[in-house]
Every structure is written in C-alpha cells, then in structure tokens.
C-alpha cells in the first residue's frame, strides 16, 4: 500500500479576509487532475458558502454552510476565515469482498476554520476532500468552552444546482420508511427527498448527493427551498434536537459525486473512500455467496410466518431447502418465521419476539446440524418490528446461540411505520424514533459491532441508509433500504419496469442491496405481478451489486426451469472489477463485472418499459482469449406484461475482445451473459 501524505501547513490569510467584505472567494482547492474545483467565499454579512465546478463549468452554485441549534444562536453569519491548511493524499486499499478489489483513494484536502467576529465568538472547521470524481465535506466541532454539549436542531448546508436539469429521487420522511417509487422531475420540482438524489444537468454532467460515514448523527435528507436550491434537513430526533453530541465531534461527510456519464457515478468509490479503514481485520469468516430461503411463499400468502397450519418454517421444509441448496451449490438458506413472536400483531408489537426460542415444529438443533453436514449455512432472521430496544436486550444471547450453531449471517428487520422505531432513552425508558435518526444510527452500529465479535455478518431490512460503513465494518454486508422484490408479491402497484434502473443510479450508489432477484413465477397477488421479463430477472444479479444474493423464488419454479436457473447457479457475488458499458438515469444500464475467483466475466443489461437495442463492445475481455458467451436474452415478443414475460432465448457464441454484441432488450426486459474463457 502506498501512502503519501504531504504538506499540512496552517496559514493565515489576512489578504483574503480583506476580500471577504466583497463576497470574493477566500480559498480554493482542486482535485488531483484539476477537473473538480471547490471555491469558498464569505460575503459581507459574514456568511460562508462553497461552490463547485466540473471541467470549467459551474455545477454547484454558491451554497451556504451553517447550523441551527436548540439552545444557542444559529451558526451562519458574522463568520471570518481564521486559518486554512491543505494536504494531498493517495493510497490504494483492498476490499475484503466487494464490487471491486483494488480501490484508489486520491484527493486534495482543504481544512479551514471559521470564527464568529461578533456574538458568541465560536469557531469550527470545515474539511473538503476533492476527488477527480466528486467531493466530500464535513464540519468538525472542537471541544471548547463555547462548544461542549451541542444540540443541533438542523443543518443549514445547501446544495444549489448551478444549471437546469432533471433528477431522480424518492420522498423522505413519509410513512413508509425508505420504500418508495422514484420521481423523475426537473430540478425545480424536487420535493423533500432522500439521498442519494441523482441529477443530470443540461450540459450532460451527472451529480449525486449523499453522505458518507453516518456515525452517531442523524440521517440527512434534502429539502428544496426555491428554484434549483436544496437544503439539508436532518431526520428529527425524539426530543427537540435532531443530534445531541459532546464536542469534539464531526458530522458525516456530505458527498457530491460528479461524472460526465451516468455510469461514472456507479464506478465511483468516493463514498467508500470517505469512510475509515477496516476496523475488524480478518473477516474471512464471512464468505460472499447466494442463498435460497423460506421467504417468498410468505409474501405470496401461501405460507405464514405465524404458527399454525400454514407455518412455513417447519423442520421438514427447512431440511428440503437445505438439501436443495446443497445440491445446487447455494451457500445459504434463510428461514423466516422460525422463532416465537409472529402470532398476533407482530407488526405492531415487537415485544413478543424471542430471538433464541424456536417454534415447537422447528427443530433448530437438528436443522443446524443437517446444514453443517451439507456445507450449507443457515442465515438467521431477527425481525424486530423496529423495536430496537427490545432487540438490544436480547441480541447478545441471540448472537451467542447463532455462533454456536454456525450461523454467520443474520438478516434483521425493522418493519414498522416511519417514526415508530423504539429505542432506549438515556434514562432507560423507551421512546419512539425515526428509522434514520441518531438513535437508530447508534443502534445499527451497536448491532454490527456486537455481531462482529461473534463473527456474524448483518443484513438489515428497513435499515438506516448505507453510507459506506462496510469499509470500516466489513461484516455490515448488505441491507434493503428501498422497494425490493417483495413489492412484486403484494404491492399495488408492484415495482414498475424502470424501478431497478433507478435503483442502480440512486440507492445502489450508497452500497449493496439485498434486493432478492430471481423470480420466474410472475403472477402474484399484486395486480401487476412481477413487471420484468425472465431475462431481466437474471440480469439483476449483475446489475444490482450485493455480496449476498438471494435466489428468491419457490424451489419448484427453479426445478421446472433448469435452463434459466443455470445462470443463477453460475453467477458469482464477489468481484475483481466492475465497469459500466452504457446507461442513462431512469432508462437503462449495462454493467460488466469480473469474477474474483475465476477469469469469467458477467454482463447484465436492464431497461425500463421501453424496448432498446444497446451495443456492448467486449474490449473488457482479455485480448487474445476466446470466450464462450452463454447468453440469456429476451425472446421474440417478450414483454413485462402477461405470458410474454417468460419468453427467453438461451444460446452460446464464441467471442473475443474485438467483438461488439448487439443487445436487444424487450419492454421491461434485460440480458444476462456469462463469458467463460476457452482453453
Ligand atoms: C420486510 C422484509 O423486507 C422482508 O424481507 C421480510 O420477509 C419481512 N419484513 C418480514 O420480516
Ligand atoms: Ca422491506
């Protein structure tokens, strides 16, 4: 690993201070290749702002910085620049698992101190890290007499787009946590949005706003103020403050990924780079892989989580899934509804759940032994109904049991309406909280850290947003945090054909998603059913990155369709490298990834409701090598509606790096290809 840290000098800038009276720039920093530039200015009222340009064109217009507090005057005006320092950093680091093994972390950093000229006379730092593919900045509060117990009401951080454009975004702070359909609107029509929010400006530059390293702080949403201007709005806390901290502390990084193409956003590792290095060391006990499970039948309503005649998690059923997994090379079996607590109103009352007591018709010890004997791992399931307080009381015992049984992955769940998570207050009482507030940020990290000490990986559903903490805590392997496949079982509407393309350019920029693809049974209780073709279901294994991927359908649907099922058996979940061949936000995308453990490449192309013909130059393949391309494509007349969804053609061709493939995608369709080198 190379690590150059140079130049960390603090300099005072009296001449720049003089210029501040005229709102002139007081400091500037550019990315290593000069493409991204950030300029800091202070106006005649002492208000500080930043602005950003990309390849010489403004992308973020002057945008203010600052805070509102519960018990102190706001921190936003009468500011003066009192010191500034710059440094450069360049390192290569490795992901223990991931969409790409080697990551370069190369930036120029500028730190500056702002001090109030009048009033309380408080000082704080703002640190900008500027990369060739975007920027991140955070606020740092020193421990001073003026800052000790800090109670933040909200941030005044702005993100003002410098040009017209359109954005894809989902609403924030509604009743349904983070699971919404996407809006595609002009920038002037953004509402209150979750991050990542992704925009395409009218000069073709793509930006995505999000955050990195959300630790002990509340999640940031974006609220449009006027025109093309957005302002951070923090997820509220249970009391009057969104965030309560003791100085010294810093905020998460506010991130803006910038790229000339939509695909460049997907190739960017900026959010990971802004997280701290691996704190766990060797995590080889977590092995990426695919899993099947007792799951889809509950969403279809043919089995129940609750006990009774329809109980899905019976010993017999579990053994059948384990045998299937062993036969077809799946690493894991997820079993939901195994533990007591599902009878009655589990959604409304997580207090009934025990995470150590199986239902009487589920022989946990026998099932775990059966799995171990077949080299299959059970994936634990802890639905908490967002009763985080109740879960914390049991989790040590639950992780101890899981570890003893050889369970190294646990899917947790936080189903409840938004604002109805339950957390421990400092006085021991239980209070209600938002899923993305500071209390839940703390809770999730407590779970991940406790799990790590038992060599357990965590996959939360209805989680807090992903901000790249998998770099620091590589046992935080995946999460949900958007509409997943489950909506195609019972949603009205189910996920529309554009949904997964939108995920790629927003939610998935944040990190891996346990979307659970691979459905062949397209008619479900949802009026629209699964609105994709079969070929698109296969392509999702490449287009949507996660180190754990479910083969979500009923086993009988796989047994009846060995042809397309072969792709699900073959596709890996751990990658050496990832590239985006083409893509437009909201429309389509083609991604190729190289397997970490072989010389195989995989391609996944997906489209929205429109049929498309895309070209895929194969120059990513190794020169001079012939590959067998196993192609799974939409057949004639394939369509995301009705019986045409299962029209798939499976064929083979021999190709080389010099070839270009033409990918014909049906409405709501896709294409999946495995490239296997021939000797
Ligand atoms: C919602 C999760 O997203 C889903 O996967 C799970 O089956 C249910 N909650 C029950 O825990
Ligand atoms: Ca969910």
């Amino acid at each position: 690993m190379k690590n150059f840290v140079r130049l960390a000098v603090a300099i005072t800038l009296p001449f720049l201070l003089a210029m501040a009276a005229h709102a002139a720039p007081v400091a500037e920093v550019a990315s290593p290749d000069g493409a991204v530039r950030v300029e800091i200015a202070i106006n005649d009222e002492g208000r500080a702002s930043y602005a950003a340009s990309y390849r010489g064109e403004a992308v973020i217009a002057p945008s203010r910085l600052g805070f509102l507090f519960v018990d102190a005057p706001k921190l936003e005006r009468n500011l003066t620049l009192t010191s500034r320092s710059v440094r450069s950093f360049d390192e290569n680091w490795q992901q223990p698992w991931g969409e790409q093994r080697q990551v370069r972390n190369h930036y120029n950093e500028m730190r500056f101190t702002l001090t109030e000229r009048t009033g309380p006379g408080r000082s704080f730092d703002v640190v900008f890290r500027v990369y060739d593919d975007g920027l991140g900045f955070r606020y740092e509060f020193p421990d001073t007499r003026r800052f000790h117990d800090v109670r933040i009401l909200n941030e005044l951080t702005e993100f003002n787009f410098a040009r017209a454009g359109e954005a894809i975004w989902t609403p924030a702070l509604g009743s349904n946590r983070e699971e919404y359909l996407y809006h595609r609107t002009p920038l002037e029509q953004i509402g209150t949005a979750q991050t990542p929010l992704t925009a395409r400006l009218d000069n073709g530059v793509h930006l995505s706003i999000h955050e990195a390293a959300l630790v002990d702080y509340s999640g940031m949403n974006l609220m449009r103020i006027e025109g093309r201007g957005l302002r951070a709005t923090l997820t509220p806390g249970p009391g009057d403050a969104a965030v309560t901290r003791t100085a010294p502390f810093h905020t998460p990084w506010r991130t803006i990924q910038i790229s000339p193409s939509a695909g460049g956003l997907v190739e960017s590792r900026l959010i990971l780079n802004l997280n701290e290095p691996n704190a766990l060391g060797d995590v080889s006990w977590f092995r990426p892989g695919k899993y099947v499970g007792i799951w889809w039948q509950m969403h279809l309503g043919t089995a129940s989580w609750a006990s009774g005649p329809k109980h899905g998690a019976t010993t017999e059923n579990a053994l059948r899934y384990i045998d299937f997994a062993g036969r077809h090379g799946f690493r894991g079996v997820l079993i939901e509804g195994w533990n007591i607590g599902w009878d009655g109103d589990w959604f409304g009352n997580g207090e009934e759940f025990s995470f150590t007591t199986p239902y009487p018709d589920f022989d946990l010890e026998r099932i775990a032994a059966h799995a171990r004997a077949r080299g299959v791992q059970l994936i634990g399931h802890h639905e908490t109904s967002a009763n985080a307080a109740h879960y914390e009381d049991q989790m040590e015992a639950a992780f101890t049991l899981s570890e003893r049984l050889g369970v190294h992955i646990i899917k947790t769940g936080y189903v409840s309406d938004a604002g109805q998570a339950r957390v421990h207050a400092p006085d021991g009482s239980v209070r209600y909280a938002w899923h993305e507030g500071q209390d839940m940020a703390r809770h999730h990290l407590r779970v991940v850290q406790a799990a790590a000490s038992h060599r357990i990986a965590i996959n939360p559903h209805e989680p807090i947003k992903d901000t790249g903490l998998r770099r620091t805590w590589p046992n935080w392997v995946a999460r949900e945090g958007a509409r997943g496949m489950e909506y195609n079982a019972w949603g009205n509407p189910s996920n529309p054909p554009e949904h997964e393309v939108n995920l790629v350019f927003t939610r998935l920029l944040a990190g891996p998603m346990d979307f659970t693809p691979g459905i062949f049974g397209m008619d479900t209780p949802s009026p629209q059913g699964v609105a994709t073709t079969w070929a698109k279901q296969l392509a999702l294994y490449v287009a949507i990155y996660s180190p754990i991927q479910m083969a979500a359908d009923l086993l009988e649907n796989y047994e009846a369709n060995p042809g397309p099922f072969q792709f699900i058996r073959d596709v890996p979940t751990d990658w050496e490298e990832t590239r985006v061949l083409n893509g437009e936000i909201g429309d389509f995308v083609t991604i190729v990834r190289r397997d970490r453990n072989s010389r195989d490449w995989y391609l996944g192309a997906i489209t929205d409701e429109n049929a498309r013909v895309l070209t895929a130059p194969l120059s990513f393949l190794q020169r001079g090598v012939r590959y067998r391309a196993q192609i799974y494509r939409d057949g004639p007349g394939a369509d995301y509606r009705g019986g045409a969804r299962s029209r798939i053609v499976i064929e083979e061709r021999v190709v080389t790096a010099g070839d270009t493939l033409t990918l014909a995608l049906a409405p709501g369709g896709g294409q999946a290809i495995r490239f296997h080198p021939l000797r």
Side-chain angles (χ1 to χ4, degrees):
M1 181 193 288
K2 280 188 190 158
N3 195 340
F4 310 106
V5 182
R6 51 180 168 90
L7 194 63
V9 264
I11 47 173
T12 49
L13 301 157
F15 65 98
L16 289 173
L17 297 183
M19 291 166 73
H22 310 290
V26 293
E28 199 185 9
V29 57
S31 66
D33 74 355
V36 179
R37 303 187 90 82
V38 173
E39 208 174 77
I40 309 302
I42 299 179
N43 75 7
D44 51 8
E45 294 170 327
R47 291 187 152 110
S49 64
Y50 74 98
S53 64
Y54 185 66
R55 296 185 180 164
E57 294 190 62
V59 290
I60 297 288
S63 300
R64 288 197 188 147
L65 303 167
F67 287 88
L68 296 176
F69 301 103
V70 170
D71 49 3
K74 72 172 176 175
L75 189 57
E76 194 234 6
R77 58 191 291 171
N78 297 320
L79 297 169
T80 185
L81 183 78
T82 43
S83 81
R84 192 192 71 157
S85 63
V86 291
R87 68 174 186 130
S88 297
F89 186 82
D90 192 0
E91 69 169 354
N92 286 300
W93 60 279
Q94 283 204 359
Q95 296 202 75
W97 47 266
E99 68 280 64
Q100 172 184 338
R101 188 195 301 265
Q102 297 287 348
V103 180
R104 185 175 182 191
N105 184 13
H106 188 197
Y107 59 82
N108 290 332
E109 179 183 286
M110 178 173 61
R111 166 186 296 273
F112 54 92
T113 304
L114 296 171
T115 305
E116 288 176 309
R117 291 184 297 218
T118 58
R122 298 165 294 187
S123 284
F124 65 106
D125 283 3
V126 187
V127 182
F128 273 84
R129 288 191 181 164
V130 186
Y131 292 80
D132 296 340
D133 58 357
L135 61 103
F137 62 94
R138 74 181 185 193
Y139 302 91
E140 298 192 4
F141 289 78
D143 184 15
T144 61
R145 204 165 33 83
R146 295 182 178 91
F147 280 128
H148 188 66
D149 293 318
V150 180
R151 304 179 65 220
I152 298 171
L153 182 64
N154 221 326
E155 275 189 34
L156 297 173
T157 311
E158 294 178 348
F159 303 86
N160 296 321
F161 291 108
R163 315 174 61 97
E166 60 171 2
I168 47 173
W169 55 278
T170 48
L173 301 172
S175 67
N176 202 4
R177 306 169 309 267
E178 325 310 329
E179 300 175 359
Y180 296 97
L181 293 172
Y182 283 88
H183 295 282
R184 180 177 187 167
T185 68
L187 299 177
E188 292 81 359
Q189 287 169 25
I190 295 170
T192 300
Q194 295 178 49
T195 71
L197 171 147
T198 299
R200 182 185 194 278
L201 304 185
D202 62 4
N203 63 349
V205 174
H206 293 72
L207 307 178
S208 186
I209 303 174
H210 188 48
E211 58 183 310
L214 168 53
V215 177
D216 202 357
Y217 203 82
S218 131
M220 178 184 76
N221 306 290
L222 299 169
M223 184 169 71
R224 200 175 59 83
I225 302 301
E226 58 182 339
R228 299 190 284 263
L230 307 179
R231 192 165 76 197
T233 184
L234 297 177
T235 301
D240 44 12
V243 175
T244 305
R245 290 291 297 268
T246 304
F249 73 96
H250 54 73
T251 68
W253 295 97
R254 278 66 190 90
T255 60
I256 307 176
Q257 287 163 283
I258 308 175
S259 168
S261 67
L265 298 175
V266 178
E267 291 174 345
S268 163
R269 302 289 162 253
L270 182 136
I271 289 164
L272 282 174
N273 276 330
L274 285 167
N275 276 272
E276 296 299 319
N278 182 347
L280 295 181
D282 176 28
V283 287
S284 53
W285 44 263
F286 166 68
R287 297 175 64 201
K290 289 164 296 189
Y291 67 101
V292 290
I294 300 177
W295 181 77
W296 188 236
Q297 48 273 65
M298 275 84 95
H299 289 273
L300 296 176
T302 56
S304 64
W305 286 279
S307 63
K310 280 168 68 180
H311 190 210
T314 62
T315 302
E316 188 195 354
N317 220 358
L319 299 183
R320 188 166 75 91
Y321 270 79
I322 292 164
D323 290 345
F324 180 92
R327 236 181 4 258
H328 294 285
F330 287 87
R331 185 154 286 148
V333 174
L334 168 73
I335 300 167
E336 298 200 355
W338 67 276
N339 59 320
I340 65 167
W342 293 92
D343 302 327
D345 180 19
W346 65 268
F347 177 92
N349 189 0
E351 273 158 33
E352 306 295 319
F353 282 122
S354 162
F355 302 104
T356 48
T357 320
Y359 275 121
D361 58 350
F362 188 81
D363 187 341
L364 179 58
E365 298 288 339
R366 178 172 163 211
I367 291 162
H370 192 82
R372 282 194 302 271
R374 276 152 192 78
V376 171
Q377 262 192 27
L378 293 183
I379 298 180
H381 184 235
H382 295 167
E383 174 58 64
T384 69
S385 293
N387 197 333
H390 179 68
Y391 186 45
E392 285 188 18
D393 293 343
Q394 291 191 35
M395 75 185 174
E396 189 53 37
F399 293 156
T400 302
L401 171 69
S402 303
E403 187 178 22
R404 178 174 69 72
L405 296 172
V407 174
H408 288 297
I409 304 176
I410 290 174
K411 169 179 172 178
T412 58
Y414 294 85
V415 168
S416 80
D417 283 342
Q420 297 300 291
R422 273 151 288 175
V423 295
H424 280 303
D427 68 0
S429 66
V430 170
R431 58 191 183 181
Y432 287 85
W434 292 87
H435 281 66
E436 298 207 318
Q438 182 184 15
D439 289 291
M440 288 302 279
R442 286 181 177 153
H443 166 74
H444 282 286
L445 213 48
R446 271 201 289 272
V447 172
V448 164
Q449 291 172 351
S453 66
H454 291 277
R455 305 198 306 160
I456 290 170
I458 295 291
N459 166 29
H461 280 225
E462 301 76 43
I464 196 159
K465 67 168 91 172
D466 196 337
T467 58
L469 287 169
R470 65 183 157 131
R471 180 175 179 194
T472 315
W473 302 100
N475 68 321
W476 199 341
V477 293
R479 76 189 81 195
E480 192 189 40
R483 269 176 162 240
M485 183 64 80
E486 60 184 0
Y487 279 80
N488 297 334
W490 40 256
N492 187 12
S494 62
N495 295 328
E498 64 174 31
H499 182 66
E500 297 86 356
V501 181
N502 285 329
L503 288 177
V504 168
F505 293 116
T506 55
R507 160 70 186 83
L508 293 169
L509 300 180
M513 177 173 178
D514 187 32
F515 180 81
T516 70
I519 300 295
F520 295 154
M522 310 311 252
D523 290 319
T524 65
S526 159
Q528 301 80 17
V530 184
T532 77
T533 64
W534 278 16
K536 182 170 176 180
Q537 286 295 315
L538 302 181
L540 293 177
Y541 285 92
V542 185
I544 294 179
Y545 168 65
S546 173
I548 52 168
Q549 290 274 28
M550 188 173 201
D553 209 343
L554 307 176
L555 301 186
E556 43 272 37
N557 287 339
Y558 294 138
E559 274 153 354
N561 297 289
F565 181 49
Q566 187 60 43
F567 185 83
I568 300 178
R569 295 183 61 183
D570 290 339
V571 67
T573 65
D574 198 19
W575 306 101
E576 187 66 31
E577 59 180 305
T578 285
R579 292 189 213 167
V580 183
L581 298 190
N582 53 51
E584 290 295 346
I585 62 170
D587 297 336
F588 65 91
V589 67
T590 305
I591 299 181
V592 293
R593 306 189 196 265
R594 180 155 70 95
D595 182 15
R596 257 199 205 199
N597 300 303
S598 76
R599 291 163 61 212
D600 288 359
W601 279 86
Y602 285 78
L603 175 149
I606 56 174
T607 179
D608 59 6
E609 68 282 3
N610 298 307
R612 294 175 201 277
V613 178
L614 305 174
T615 50
L618 304 185
S619 51
F620 55 87
L621 296 175
Q622 197 182 332
R623 298 238 150 243
V625 177
R626 294 162 70 239
Y627 290 80
R628 185 171 63 238
Q630 297 168 313
I631 300 171
Y632 301 76
R633 63 176 173 84
D634 292 322
D639 191 288
Y640 66 89
R641 291 158 287 209
R645 289 174 287 195
S646 58
R647 289 188 193 153
I648 191 167
V649 171
I650 303 172
E651 62 191 5
E652 290 195 356
R653 282 179 60 177
V654 174
V655 298
T656 68
D659 291 326
T660 294
L661 293 184
T662 301
L663 315 176
L665 311 185
Q671 190 162 143
I673 308 178
R674 175 191 186 193
F675 299 95
H676 182 67
L678 297 168
R679 305 209 97 244

